[in-house]
């Protein structure tokens, strides 16, 4: 990886804005600024982390823009190298011209994520922290951004280092007995060695399991509203959203296509989907809709199965019921404001039920809390405490480390050769090292940083 050259990229998104920022990082950042910047202070004399007003000039000494420039000297910068940021006017053409100035002066356009990659390579961030940068940027709820920020500030890494330290301690003990078998180190009590490792594996699996929450925070949760035409799905969607965005109609089967809305519930980003009215029909468009509803029910994290409490169950209701797995379905009995004649006995398979009136409001609060209960069915989900992992890669690394520690338990119980014990522990360490980046292969690093945007 090339760290000798100096890279440049816009740090703000393309488009118009109050200001646009161009970022430069590398050993010649100050020299490049000196080529393009004219102000009262020469870049070589700039105090680190101070803003200076001036102009950017092109080769013909024409003004390109009036700007504020800041120099952040190594190693106290995002990348750990000399970094220059130029705050110019936020226009597409201006940003392009400013970028061109630095390119002409000798900078190279940065690859996606290259600033963060450099921060990682220079030891400013470990890999888990670097990955958190993109999570902070992409977070879609306050809770998701809090988890990402914790990771950026090193909470996950510290936890991983704590695990590694304990394993290293055990490894040192085993190695001492390998190196000096008959010496004054005494005999190794394998039972005593194995007990804390067992506990460690348990702690590690708690962390690995937090991925369920992490995934939900990162990718969001999809909730599907399902039911035959006219039971009140659109009305329910509107009621949950608190405003009329879905189309409500008196005629059955007009909500043909699926409608999607985004909202935040209990800190989780949620995608609320109103499926096509499920009805048995020969109409190809409707059939297509039913098929899609089937697929969506299978993919959804939670299905709100809506029935009309004021009408007997129909064949179409039965069809909708068939599409749902009871463990991730919440039965919503709508139109509670009317006389209830629906045969609830047939719905007993769905243990979680809420009666509501989507049109008039009663039951909606209970429904919201039933949804939240479902989302937070694990204790870990509801608590804001504890480190949460959001990357599948981290979970897989933890699982590999746990497998190695389980092998260690078996090896120690069988009192096998100490060298085998040491191998298991080293394997666990290597797996953990992949989370923080000490043992992560280059191609994985490349893959991780290529997900970043340019300029980050
Ligand atoms: P969808 O086809 O399942 O999306 O159903 P809609 O939301 O379009 O509602 C169908 C009809 O039922 C409309 O006339 C709604 O006003 C009515 N409706 C929906 N919810 C309720 C309710 O809670 N009580 C009553 N009385 N009518 C409702």
């Amino acid at each position: 990886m090339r760290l000798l050259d100096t890279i440049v990229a816009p740090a703000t998104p393309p488009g118009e804005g109050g200001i646009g920022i161009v970022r430069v990082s590398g050993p010649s950042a100050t020299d490049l600024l000196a080529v393009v910047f004219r102000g009262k202070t020469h870049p070589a004399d700039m105090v680190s982390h101070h803003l200076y007003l001036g102009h950017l000039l092109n080769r013909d000494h024409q003004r390109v823009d009036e700007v504020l420039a800041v120099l952040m000297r190594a190693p106290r910068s995002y990348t750990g190298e000399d970094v220059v940021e130029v705050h110019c006017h936020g226009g597409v053409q201006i940003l392009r011209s400013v970028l061109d100035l630095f390119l002409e002066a000798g900078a190279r356009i940065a690859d996606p994520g290259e600033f963060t990659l450099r921060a990682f390579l220079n030891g400013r961030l470990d890999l888990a922290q670097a990955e958190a940068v993109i999570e902070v940027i992409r977070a879609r709820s306050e809770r998701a951004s809090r988890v990402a920020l914790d990771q950026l500030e090193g909470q996950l890494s510290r936890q991983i280092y704590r695990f590694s330290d304990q394993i290293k301690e055990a490894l040192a003990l085993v190695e001492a007995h390998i190196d000096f078998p008959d010496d004054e180190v005494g005999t190794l009590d394998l039972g005593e060695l194995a007990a804390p490792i067992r506990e460690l594996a348990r702690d590690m699996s708690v962390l690995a399991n937090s991925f369920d929450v992490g995934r939900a925070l990162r990718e969001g949760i999809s909730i599907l509203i399902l039911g035959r035409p006219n039971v009140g799905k659109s009305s329910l969607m509107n009621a949950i959203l608190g405003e009329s965005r879905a189309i409500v109609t008196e005629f059955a089967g007009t909500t043909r296509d699926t409608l999607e809305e985004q909202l935040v519930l209990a800190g989780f980003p949620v995608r609320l989907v109103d499926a096509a009215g499920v009805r048995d029909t020969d109409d190809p468009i409707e059939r297509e809709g039913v098929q899609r509803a089937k697929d969506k029910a299978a993919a959804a994290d939670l299905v709100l199965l809506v029935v009309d409490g004021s009408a007997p169950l129909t064949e179409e209701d039965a069809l909708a019921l068939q599409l749902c797995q009871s463990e991730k379905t919440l039965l919503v009995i709508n139109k509670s404001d009317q006389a209830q004649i629906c045969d609830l006995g047939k719905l007993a398979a769905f243990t979680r039920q809420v009666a509501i009136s989507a049109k008039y409001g009663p039951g909606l609060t209970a429904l919201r809390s039933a949804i939240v209960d479902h989302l937070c069915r694990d204790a870990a989900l509801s608590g804001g405490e504890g480190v949460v992992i959001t990357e599948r890669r981290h979970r897989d690394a933890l699982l590999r480390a746990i497998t190695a520690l389980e092998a260690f338990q078996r090896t120690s119980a069988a009192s096998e050769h100490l060298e085998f014990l040491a191998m298991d522990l080293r394997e666990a360490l290597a797996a953990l090292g992949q989370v923080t980046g000490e043992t992560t292969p280059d191609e994985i690093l490349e893959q991780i940083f290529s997900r970043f945007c340019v300029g980050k």
Side-chain angles (χ1 to χ4, degrees), residues 227-236 247-253 255 274 334-338 356-360:
R228 70 160 165 82
N230 239 21
V231 289
K233 296 183 299 300
S234 318
S235 308
L236 174 59
I247 307 149
V248 184
T249 143
E250 297 287 333
F251 304 102
T255 315
D274 179 357
N334 190 29
K335 310 198 186 179
S336 63
D337 53 290
Q338 310 266 47
I356 64 157
S357 169
K359 194 167 177 176
Y360 299 106

Side-chain angles (χ1 to χ4, degrees), residues 429-447:
L429 274 179
L432 289 180
Q434 294 222 349
V435 176
T436 42
E438 286 123 81
T439 55
T440 313
D442 279 358
E443 61 270 21
I444 306 235
L445 288 180
E446 249 165 59
Q447 221 176 46

Side-chain angles (χ1 to χ4, degrees), residues 22-44:
V22 170
R23 178 145 70 163
V24 185
S25 178
S28 355
T30 315
D31 295 343
L32 297 188
L33 184 64
V35 173
V36 301
F37 180 84
R38 291 293 171 275
K40 279 194 188 142
T41 310
H42 188 275

Side-chain angles (χ1 to χ4, degrees), residues 16-262:
E16 290 180 11
I19 53 169
I21 299 177
V22 170
R23 178 145 70 163
V24 185
S25 178
S28 355
T30 315
D31 295 343
L32 297 188
L33 184 64
V35 173
V36 301
F37 180 84
R38 291 293 171 275
K40 279 194 188 142
T41 310
H42 188 275
D45 302 322
M46 285 181 177
V47 181
S48 186
H49 295 77
H50 279 57
L51 282 168
Y52 291 89
L53 181 68
H55 286 94
L56 294 187
L57 304 185
N58 66 15
R59 256 193 274 196
D60 305 324
H61 305 288
Q62 285 166 329
R63 287 174 180 185
V64 172
D65 196 10
E66 185 180 42
V67 300
L68 282 170
V70 57
L71 171 61
M72 289 164 272
R73 291 190 205 279
R76 281 182 55 226
S77 72
Y78 182 67
T79 57
E81 306 171 325
D82 279 352
V83 169
V84 163
E85 278 176 15
V86 173
H87 298 225
C88 45
H89 289 97
V92 179
Q93 184 50 47
I94 290 284
L95 275 174
R96 196 170 296 153
S97 304
V98 172
L99 200 62
D100 283 344
L101 287 184
F102 281 103
L103 291 174
E104 277 168 25
R108 165 172 71 76
I109 193 91
D111 293 331
E114 194 172 359
F115 290 93
T116 312
L117 173 64
R118 288 183 173 211
F120 166 68
L121 293 175
N122 289 321
R124 297 288 290 170
L125 299 168
D126 65 37
L127 190 57
Q129 289 176 302
E131 286 171 297
V133 170
I134 195 157
E135 295 303 321
V136 170
I137 293 173
R138 300 210 172 137
R140 287 188 285 142
S141 78
E142 205 181 313
R143 187 165 170 197
S145 65
R146 208 169 44 233
V147 165
L149 214 53
D150 282 349
Q151 188 178 324
L152 177 59
E153 285 167 0
Q155 285 220 30
L156 171 62
S157 309
R158 279 193 289 277
Q159 175 97 272
I160 297 290
Y161 292 134
R162 263 199 302 276
F163 292 154
S164 304
D165 286 348
Q166 277 197 50
I167 297 174
K168 279 181 194 156
E169 238 171 68
L171 183 60
L173 208 60
V174 173
E175 281 174 340
H177 282 84
I178 293 172
D179 293 344
F180 311 102
D182 312 311
D183 257 316
E184 65 280 7
V185 285
T187 48
L188 185 61
D189 183 338
L190 288 181
E192 208 171 287
L193 188 66
I197 293 289
R198 195 173 312 125
E199 202 146 299
L200 185 65
R202 248 197 313 270
D203 290 348
M204 281 163 56
S205 61
V206 170
L207 184 60
N209 289 338
S210 74
F211 180 66
D212 287 343
V213 185
R215 190 191 67 88
L217 284 173
R218 181 180 153 162
E219 293 168 16
I221 289 163
S222 66
I223 301 181
L224 183 73
I225 304 181
L226 193 72
R228 70 160 165 82
N230 239 21
V231 289
K233 296 183 299 300
S234 318
S235 308
L236 174 59
M237 178 130 172
N238 289 341
I240 293 178
L241 288 169
E243 49 189 329
S244 298
R245 254 181 289 184
I247 307 149
V248 184
T249 143
E250 297 287 333
F251 304 102
T254 46
T255 315
R256 272 190 175 155
D257 224 331
T258 53
L259 268 168
E260 242 184 74
E261 295 284 355
Q262 311 269 347

Side-chain angles (χ1 to χ4, degrees), residues 313-424:
L313 289 175
T314 68
E315 299 259 308
E316 287 172 348
D317 283 316
L319 179 66
L321 295 174
Q322 276 169 26
L323 301 180
C324 301
Q325 299 156 271
S326 62
E327 70 275 10
K328 62 170 187 182
T329 303
L330 192 57
L331 182 70
V332 179
I333 304 155
N334 190 29
K335 310 198 186 179
S336 63
D337 53 290
Q338 310 266 47
Q340 298 293 289
I341 55 168
C342 168
D343 180 4
L344 292 179
K346 290 196 181 131
L347 303 169
F350 298 96
T351 46
R352 283 169 307 158
Q353 310 190 348
V354 186
I356 64 157
S357 169
K359 194 167 177 176
Y360 299 106
L364 284 171
T365 312
L367 176 62
R368 265 178 181 271
S369 33
I371 294 173
V372 172
D373 281 352
H374 175 85
L375 301 183
C376 303
R377 60 205 175 284
D378 300 329
L381 271 152
S382 53
E385 275 45 78
V387 181
V388 172
I389 53 170
T390 55
E391 295 279 342
R392 190 174 299 277
R393 199 182 73 74
H394 297 166
R395 200 240 349 226
D396 293 349
L398 277 164
L399 293 181
R400 280 198 303 280
I402 293 167
T403 307
L405 293 188
E406 283 164 358
F408 171 88
Q409 300 292 341
R410 285 192 300 274
T411 315
S412 65
S415 298
E416 285 192 40
H417 206 282
L418 288 184
E419 193 50 59
F420 291 131
L421 285 176
M423 265 166 57
D424 293 332

